[in-house]
Amino acid sequence: MKTTALCAMALLAAGCARQPDQIAATPVATDRYLQMSCAELLASRTGRQTAQVRLEQAQHEAAEHDKAAMSVIHVPVASMTGQDREDEVARGKGELVAVDATIQSKGCG
């Protein structure tokens, strides 16, 4: 019985939202950025950085909610209610890497 409870808790914990700094960037091809001018790339990066900050704040809140819920009711509520934005955070990080790589390859300031 004790082993079953521990296994169930481990499975639930595995479903918890992760902190943004624990999420790796999803690889994104730079192809669609190659045709952009430096001004467009820099504007794109600024917009993406702003969006990424918002996404990471939401992800941090989801991770904190899951952490609190797990300590009280042993259920990752934020993850179960669709508040986990891990995929979006990873994609956003990947987009920023792709934009930055293109900016660097084009020698934009």
Side-chain angles (χ1 to χ4, degrees):
M1 181 68 170
K2 193 174 188 180
T3 304
T4 303
L6 288 173
C7 287
M9 286 178 59
L11 285 173
L12 287 173
C16 290
R18 294 191 301 164
Q19 289 291 347
D21 62 348
Q22 297 173 336
I23 300 171
T26 298
V28 173
T30 59
D31 298 354
R32 69 173 158 184
Y33 299 112
L34 295 174
Q35 302 304 317
M36 295 173 80
S37 69
C38 285
E40 291 171 325
L41 286 166
L42 294 170
S44 178
R45 178 173 63 185
T46 299
R48 290 182 184 287
Q49 286 171 330
T50 301
Q52 191 67 20
V53 167
R54 287 190 198 117
L55 270 174
E56 290 187 15
Q57 286 172 339
Q59 182 66 21
H60 173 74
E61 289 173 14
E64 290 300 311
H65 288 149
D66 274 356
K67 182 179 168 184
M70 287 299 293
S71 69
V72 177
I73 59 174
H74 310 296
V75 176
V77 176
S79 294
M80 293 175 66
T81 59
Q83 296 175 35
D84 188 353
R85 302 279 183 244
E86 183 171 341
D87 291 343
E88 294 170 64
V89 170
R91 178 70 181 187
K93 286 182 176 185
E95 294 287 349
L96 281 169
V97 168
V99 169
D100 285 341
T102 307
I103 286 171
Q104 187 174 25
S105 73
K106 287 188 161 202
C108 302

